[in-house]
Amino acid sequence: MNELFDEGEFIHLNLEEISDLTSTGGYDAIIQYLNDGKRICKEVEEFMKARASVEEKYAKDLLGLSKKVCGHSEMNTLKKSLDIFKLQTEHVSLSHLQLAQSMREEAKKLEEFREKHKEMRKKVMEQQMDTLHKQKSSQFRKTIETKKTYEQKCRDKEEADQNVNRNTNTHNAKHIEKLYAKLQQAKQNAEEADRLYQLSVNTLAKVRDDWLKEHINACETFENLAMERIAFLRNAVWTHLNQLSQQCVTSDELYEEVRKSLEQCDVQTDIEHFVNLRQTGNKPPAPVLYENFYSGQKSSTGSPTSPLPPPVARYTGCHLSS
């Protein structure tokens, strides 16, 4: 018998149960463990769905932010960098939307896995083990009842036998005949009770063997389900974390495009671009002359015209780097 219980850890859990035929302590412990596992799968599934909703909301908010005016009136190299900045922000938001969808797909896989295990547990528990447990308990009670009946009939036979022995010397033949008749009936009743008791014990042994066989199969099935659940849940969380890590890499790659653009942004070039685009001339406006009303002559008055200021040394600028 012990060799049968060396095939799986879950079967070891039920060794104590075998000592009490009506006990389901070990089996109940396994079922509780499986139910806890089912609940944990559901919790992880709900976590992933909630995280996907967080990513989706963040993506939509970020997408809306990328559509807002940002540096619209800027020009030249900085304008190009700001346009790329908005574009890559939009790409980042779209990547988060894709991440949310991927998370929902993983949560769906976990849901399908959980439902599949639910059906397998239900099949083993309801269609096999629950029925056998009821049969085992019912036959055990019946066996105990037939045993009590057998023991009582044996006591009745002993009592009838003692009555015959006590009345051996009685001269009342009719009374002796009656006692013998009771003794014979008591013996028949005891023999019949013995037969029914042995039959009940044999039936219980058959039920026990059937239950034990299915019990071992159920333990092995449940152990396999538990191992699959742990492995699947471990891999699901691992995949979830890989998705988050990949999102960080994707975002950094998109932001790198903005940094590369900013490296091409040149302060001096942008200043010269603005001057060349908006310049109105290289001469100052002419001075306003005094015109005499009577003579019509024009002349300058006040302080003499100031010479042009010396040219301002242009800022050599610097190249931005990341």
Side-chain angles (χ1 to χ4, degrees):
M1 180 65 67
N2 288 336
E3 293 180 357
L4 293 175
F5 292 93
D6 291 334
E7 298 179 0
E9 295 297 331
F10 276 20
I11 302 178
H12 283 285
L13 184 61
N14 292 270
L15 278 171
E16 184 177 354
E17 182 179 337
I18 305 303
S19 63
D20 184 356
L21 194 57
T22 60
S23 174
T24 59
Y27 179 81
D28 293 340
I30 293 176
I31 297 303
Q32 182 62 49
Y33 177 76
L34 295 176
N35 288 335
D36 289 343
K38 177 182 66 174
R39 176 177 51 79
I40 293 171
C41 283
K42 179 67 173 177
E43 291 172 352
V44 174
E45 175 191 330
E46 293 299 328
F47 176 91
M48 289 183 176
K49 289 180 179 179
R51 181 59 191 267
S53 297
V54 171
E55 290 292 335
E56 183 177 44
K57 182 179 184 303
Y58 174 73
K60 290 180 178 180
D61 290 345
L62 195 60
L63 184 61
L65 189 61
S66 70
K67 300 298 183 183
K68 290 187 176 181
V69 175
C70 180
H72 179 71
S73 60
E74 190 54 69
M75 58 182 63
N76 209 38
T77 60
L78 181 57
K79 177 175 176 54
K80 293 178 182 178
S81 295
L82 292 176
D83 288 344
I84 293 177
F85 172 56
K86 289 178 58 180
L87 178 63
Q88 297 306 93
T89 300
E90 179 179 348
H91 289 169
V92 170
S93 70
L94 295 177
S95 69
H96 278 278
L97 277 177
Q98 180 61 43
L99 173 62
Q101 179 61 29
S102 298
M103 287 181 175
R104 287 195 172 93
E105 291 174 359
E106 291 301 316
K108 182 65 176 177
K109 292 179 183 178
L110 188 54
E111 179 182 2
E112 292 172 351
F113 175 83
R114 181 170 52 82
E115 289 299 321
K116 182 185 73 172
H117 269 216
K118 177 182 177 182
E119 291 301 318
M120 295 177 68
R121 288 194 307 271
K122 183 178 179 181
K123 180 179 180 180
V124 175
M125 291 167 56
E126 294 184 1
Q127 298 181 9
Q128 298 177 20
M129 293 307 299
D130 286 353
T131 299
L132 287 172
H133 281 153
K134 291 178 181 179
Q135 291 178 355
K136 176 167 61 73
S137 297
S138 175
Q139 185 59 39
F140 179 80
R141 288 194 298 269
K142 184 177 180 180
T143 301
I144 294 301
E145 290 174 0
T146 57
K147 180 183 179 182
K148 290 180 179 178
T149 301
Y150 162 70
E151 291 174 346
Q152 182 60 50
K153 295 303 180 180
C154 287
R155 285 192 289 269
D156 292 343
K157 186 195 70 169
E158 290 178 353
E159 183 178 352
D161 189 48
Q162 291 175 2
N163 287 335
V164 170
N165 292 331
R166 282 196 298 268
N167 292 273
T168 301
N169 298 324
T170 302
H171 298 290
N172 189 336
K174 188 175 182 179
H175 180 63
I176 293 296
E177 183 179 351
K178 185 176 180 181
L179 291 177
Y180 270 110
K182 287 184 177 181
L183 177 59
Q184 289 301 117
Q185 185 63 48
K187 288 181 178 179
Q188 292 178 5
N189 292 341
E191 290 174 356
E192 178 64 14
D194 186 17
R195 186 185 69 80
L196 294 176
Y197 175 40
Q198 292 186 42
L199 179 63
S200 183
V201 169
N202 292 334
T203 302
L204 179 59
K206 176 65 170 56
V207 171
R208 176 186 177 279
D209 290 342
D210 293 341
W211 161 79
L212 183 58
K213 179 180 177 181
E214 292 300 325
H215 179 81
I216 293 174
N217 292 335
C219 287
E220 292 174 347
T221 299
F222 290 153
E223 182 171 340
N224 290 333
L225 290 177
M227 293 173 66
E228 287 180 7
R229 178 189 65 81
I230 293 173
F232 189 91
L233 199 57
R234 171 187 177 276
N235 293 339
V237 176
W238 194 291
T239 299
H240 179 73
L241 296 177
N242 283 345
Q243 290 174 334
L244 295 175
S245 296
Q246 182 58 47
Q247 178 59 44
C248 293
V249 173
T250 300
S251 296
D252 188 67
E253 290 175 350
L254 294 172
Y255 292 142
E256 180 63 20
E257 295 300 315
V258 182
R259 288 192 288 265
K260 289 179 180 179
S261 175
L262 290 172
E263 288 177 348
Q264 302 304 317
C265 177
D266 184 80
V267 176
Q268 185 62 34
T269 299
D270 281 11
I271 293 297
E272 291 178 354
H273 175 81
F274 169 74
V275 171
N276 292 332
L277 184 65
R278 297 288 189 263
Q279 66 181 350
T280 57
N282 54 11
K283 295 181 180 180
V288 178
L289 301 178
Y290 167 76
E291 296 183 16
N292 187 280
F293 178 79
Y294 298 99
S295 66
Q297 295 179 343
K298 298 180 179 180
S299 63
S300 59
T301 60
S303 61
T305 302
S306 301
L308 291 175
V312 179
R314 291 197 172 187
Y315 176 60
T316 60
C318 66
H319 294 278
L320 296 181
S321 62
S322 60

